[in-house]
C-alpha cells in the first residue's frame, strides 16, 4: 500500500512518519508540509492512500480530498486533524476515516489495517470473469482501458492485451458499475482514468485516445459534456 502524508506542522508529520513506517506492507511515497506538493502527487495517482491534516496554508486537506472525489481518483483519504468542524462534509467526500488530534498511535494503525482489509476485498470484487469455451479469463477491472462492440463480438482492451468475448456491452455494463467506467457511445465503454485526449470527429461525436494504447474509441458530445461536469 502506497501512502502519502501531508501536514504543515513538522511535529505532527514526524509522528505520522513514525507510525506508518512501522506498519507492514506500507510504503511512504511522499511526506511533506506542503499541500501543493501533495496535490502534484495525487494528480498522478502516485499513492493509494492520502493521510492529511485539514487546515493548512493556501490549500487545505479538505480541498485535496475534494479533488480526489470529483476526479474519481482511486485514492483513499484519512484525515488527521484538530478540527471537528469538517466531519460531516468529509464523509460526504467518502473519506475512509476522520481522526482527531491528539490520538494514540493504535488509532491510526487500526484505521490503516482496516483500509488494507477493505482494499483486499475490493480487489477480489474488482475482477471480471469471462468464460470462453474451455477457458476462463480473469481480468482486473482497473486494468481495462476500453471496450468495443463490433459485429457479434466484443473486444476488451487492457493494459496487458486484448480479450474477445461474446458478452454484449449491456451485459458488461452490469458488471462494471464502478464510477471509472462510462458508456461513451453505443459501441464503446471507456475507463476515464486512461483517457488522454478527445478530438472532434463530427458535429456530435469525438475520438478518444488513451494513455499507453494505440486503439481509439468514440464518445458522444453529450457524454463529453457529462464528463466535464461530473469528472473534470
Amino acid at each position: 500500500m502506497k501512502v502519502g502524508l501531508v501536514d504543515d506542522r513538522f511535529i505532527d508529520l514526524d509522528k505520522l512518519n513514525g507510525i506508518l513506517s512501522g506498519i507492514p506492507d506500507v510504503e511512504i511515497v511522499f511526506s511533506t508540509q506542503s499541500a501543493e506538493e501533495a496535490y502534484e502527487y495525487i494528480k498522478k495517482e502516485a499513492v493509494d492512500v492520502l493521510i492529511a491534516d485539514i487546515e493548512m496554508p493556501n490549500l487545505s486537506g479538505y480541498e485535496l480530498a475534494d479533488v480526489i472525489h470529483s476526479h474519481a481518483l482511486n485514492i483513499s483519504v484519512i484525515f488527521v486533524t484538530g478540527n471537528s468542524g469538517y466531519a460531516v462534509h468529509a464523509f460526504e467526500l467518502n473519506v475512509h476515516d476522520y481522526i482527531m488530534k491528539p490520538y494514540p498511535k493504535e488509532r491510526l494503525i487500526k484505521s490503516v489495517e482496516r483500509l488494507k482489509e477493505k482494499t483486499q476485498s475490493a480487489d477480489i470484487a474488482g475482477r471480471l470473469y469471462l468464460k470462453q469455451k474451455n477457458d476462463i479469463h480473469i481480468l482486473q477491472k482497473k486494468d481495462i482501458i476500453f471496450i468495443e462492440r463490433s459485429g457479434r463480438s466484443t473486444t476488451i482492451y487492457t493494459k496487458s492485451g486484448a480479450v474477445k468475448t461474446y458478452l454484449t456491452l449491456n451485459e458488461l455494463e452490469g458488471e462494471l458499475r464502478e464510477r471509472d467506467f462510462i458508456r461513451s457511445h453505443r459501441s464503446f465503454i471507456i475507463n476515464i482514468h486512461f483517457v488522454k485526449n478527445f478530438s472532434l470527429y463530427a458535429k456530435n461525436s469525438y475520438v478518444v485516445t488513451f494513455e499507453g494504447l494505440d486503439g481509439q474509441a468514440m464518445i458522444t458530445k453529450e457524454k463529453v459534456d457529462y464528463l466535464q461536469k461530473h469528472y473534470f
Side-chain angles (χ1 to χ4, degrees), residues 31-47:
S31 174
T32 180
Q33 292 176 258
S34 167
E36 290 80 5
E37 183 178 341
Y39 174 66
E40 294 303 317
Y41 277 102
I42 67 171
K43 281 197 302 183
K44 302 172 187 173
E45 291 190 85
V47 295

Side-chain angles (χ1 to χ4, degrees), residues 89-197:
H89 297 298
F91 285 103
E92 288 175 354
L93 296 179
N94 199 32
V95 302
H96 171 68
D97 205 350
Y98 195 102
I99 300 174
M100 290 294 298
K101 299 176 182 177
Y103 58 93
K105 70 176 185 178
E106 290 78 17
R107 174 68 175 86
L108 181 57
I109 291 171
K110 184 177 180 180
S111 180
V112 172
E113 293 292 351
R114 193 168 71 247
L115 182 57
K116 285 167 66 177
E117 292 173 4
K118 178 181 174 182
T119 302
Q120 288 167 357
S121 297
D123 284 344
I124 294 172
R127 296 175 184 175
L128 187 65
Y129 294 82
L130 301 176
K131 294 182 180 179
Q132 294 180 320
K133 295 183 179 179
N134 297 324
D135 296 327
I136 298 177
H137 290 276
I138 303 174
L139 306 180
Q140 291 286 348
K141 293 180 183 179
K142 61 183 175 62
D143 292 337
I144 296 172
I145 300 173
F146 78 96
I147 304 171
E148 179 181 11
R149 181 72 175 179
S150 179
R152 297 179 59 190
S153 68
T154 301
T155 304
I156 301 174
Y157 294 91
T158 76
K159 292 197 295 185
S160 58
V163 177
K164 287 190 179 293
T165 177
Y166 288 106
L167 291 175
T168 67
L169 291 191
N170 288 339
E171 289 171 321
L172 287 168
E173 267 193 299
E175 295 286 341
L176 300 171
R177 298 184 184 276
E178 290 80 359
R179 193 166 182 260
D180 306 350
F181 296 94
I182 71 160
R183 181 75 171 265
S184 63
H185 183 275
R186 67 178 181 273
S187 300
F188 294 94
I189 295 173
I190 65 173
N191 184 338
I192 64 166
H193 290 297
F194 291 99
V195 172
K196 182 169 66 174
N197 186 56

